[in-house]
Amino acid sequence: MTEKKKVLLCVTGGIAVFKAAGLTSQLRQSGYEVKVMMTRSAMEFVTPLTFQTLSRNHVYHDTFDEKDPSGVAHIDLADWADLVVVAPATANSIGKLANGIADDMISTTLLATTAPVMIAPAMNVHMYEHPAVYANMERLAKYGCRFIEPGEGLLACGYVGKGRLAEPEEILESIHHFFKEQSYKPLKGKHVLITAGPTREYVDPVRFFTNRSSGKMGYALAEKAYEQGADVTLISGPTNLNAPYGVDFIQVESAEEMYKEVMERYNRADLVIKSAAVADYRPKVTYDSKMKKQDGNLSIDMDRTKDILLELGKQKEHQVLVGFAAETDDVTRYAKGKLEKKNLDMIVANNVAQTGSGFEGDTNQVHIFGRDGHEYESSLLSKKEVAEIVLRESARYMKGSDEG
Ligand code: CTP
């Protein structure tokens, strides 16, 4: 490392404090400058002297213990950090940050910092699963905090389950990854338009046609594109997911609404990724009141919806256009057909009948085909990893991109 990255480690109270000592040592050995802040309860488990010795810096714990008259310690530390890591993070410290409470040095500093915050929770499994804790973590994720998931196993309280602080090596790896990602901005200055999720085509006010798409792939793409410096717009059908941090989020329901929102933004887009599972048909008539059942069978006449991607392909100028093809058989032939027919630069195909590549899961295995004949076949990966691959491969077709 040329210039040392500065990590402020906030240690809150719990048995896992001893692991934070190991993390401090590993951070320093890896070339980071580390300063440690502790809560009163953290000091019940390990003394500040341990952290002072390992970090080779003064340890902070008292907001009113101002050693340097030229500054205000918690503000100076908040400004000093390139990254703030809370490990272990108790339910209490998570709750305080999520609700804007500042009643000790760590909670005050966390509110005062503009540096990215990484949180490694550690608590009893029932506390971790409590809806209040979950809601607080969700809120913090919305504010842009990153989480390092706790591990599963025997907890110090005697329970078996999720809640054990991630191992220091794992936290260190996430920190390395964070700084690597921070300097990797191949999409800086690019406008990326992403669609995700299913669409809903209503028959009447209470019934609609839809499909099994969860939106996870599209949301992962939006999150990664934002991390890589892009100006991201995510147009999404109904999903259970939270809008990723930092993206311009547009909620739609029907294929027609998606068409309108996409077309409005097509001109200024550099890269369009259509991961949405758009309905191909919609009921010819949408009734204003709930349909009543009749004797006998029911047939519903359907009209074709607009093929958004086909239209984008026809109007394509400077944009790089990427489609998805979810198939159950003959994946290569169908995918290549869509690449050609819709005038795409790249298509990402997956076999949704295959284990691990289905709609609702967190993993995917894709086969990518480029307009230039280039192909890439991934192994079974997390959707976030697949998102990184799709963005990297798309960049091959973008002018002025580091990869292009
Ligand atoms: N797509 C679209 N508008 C539609 C249908 C599909 O923009 N009305 C896009 C999807 O977002 C995807 C690609 O086209 O990027 C392929 O979608 P898919 O449903 O796999 O294929 P279809 O073209 O609909 O063909 P088929 O249903 O016959 O497989």
Side-chain angles (χ1 to χ4, degrees), residues 195 255 258 273-280 305-310 312 322-327 334 338 341-342 344 347:
T195 68
M258 187 175 279
I273 308 181
K274 282 229 71 240
S275 67
V278 187
D280 291 323
T305 56
K306 292 189 185 110
D307 189 324
I308 309 171
L309 194 52
L310 184 75
L312 294 176
V322 177
F324 268 71
E327 309 288 352
Y334 285 131
K338 287 173 192 176
K341 180 173 169 215
K342 302 195 187 197
L344 309 180
I347 192 150

Side-chain angles (χ1 to χ4, degrees), residues 176-204:
H176 286 332
H177 187 75
F178 166 81
F179 283 113
K180 218 166 105 195
E181 233 176 48
Q182 266 221 328
S183 55
Y184 181 66
K185 301 283 176 201
L187 294 173
K188 201 170 165 58
K190 302 285 182 196
H191 288 99
V192 178
L193 182 60
I194 296 169
T195 68
T199 62
R200 280 181 185 172
E201 311 300 330
Y202 281 88
V203 192
D204 70 11

Side-chain angles (χ1 to χ4, degrees), residues 92-235:
N92 185 46
S93 60
I94 290 171
K96 285 203 279 189
L97 182 57
N99 292 284
I101 295 168
D103 64 354
D104 62 8
M105 196 165 189
I106 288 186
S107 51
T108 311
T109 308
L110 285 172
L111 285 191
T113 191
T114 54
V117 175
M118 208 177 250
I119 298 173
M123 63 195 79
N124 161 275
V125 59
H126 295 151
M127 290 170 82
Y128 188 67
E129 285 169 358
H130 194 287
V133 174
Y134 188 78
N136 285 333
M137 291 197 289
E138 254 195 349
R139 187 188 281 186
L140 289 175
K142 249 188 242 169
Y143 296 160
C145 293
R146 291 150 187 261
F147 281 86
I148 305 170
E149 279 206 24
E152 280 189 49
L154 179 65
L155 305 178
C157 54
Y159 279 99
V160 174
K162 202 165 188 176
R164 200 162 67 177
L165 180 69
E167 293 306 314
E169 294 72 23
E170 217 179 299
I171 302 177
L172 186 69
E173 193 48 49
S174 300
I175 294 171
H176 286 332
H177 187 75
F178 166 81
F179 283 113
K180 218 166 105 195
E181 233 176 48
Q182 266 221 328
S183 55
Y184 181 66
K185 301 283 176 201
L187 294 173
K188 201 170 165 58
K190 302 285 182 196
H191 288 99
V192 178
L193 182 60
I194 296 169
T195 68
T199 62
R200 280 181 185 172
E201 311 300 330
Y202 281 88
V203 192
D204 70 11
V206 295
R207 302 179 183 101
F208 51 78
F209 287 87
T210 190
N211 58 63
R212 288 176 54 198
S213 168
S214 65
K216 285 181 183 168
M217 193 61 241
Y219 280 57
L221 281 160
E223 189 183 316
K224 290 290 164 196
Y226 174 75
E227 280 173 16
Q228 292 184 16
D231 182 353
V232 183
T233 304
L234 175 62
I235 301 177

Side-chain angles (χ1 to χ4, degrees), residues 88 236 261 347 396:
S236 173
E261 299 294 346
I347 192 150
R396 293 167 52 84

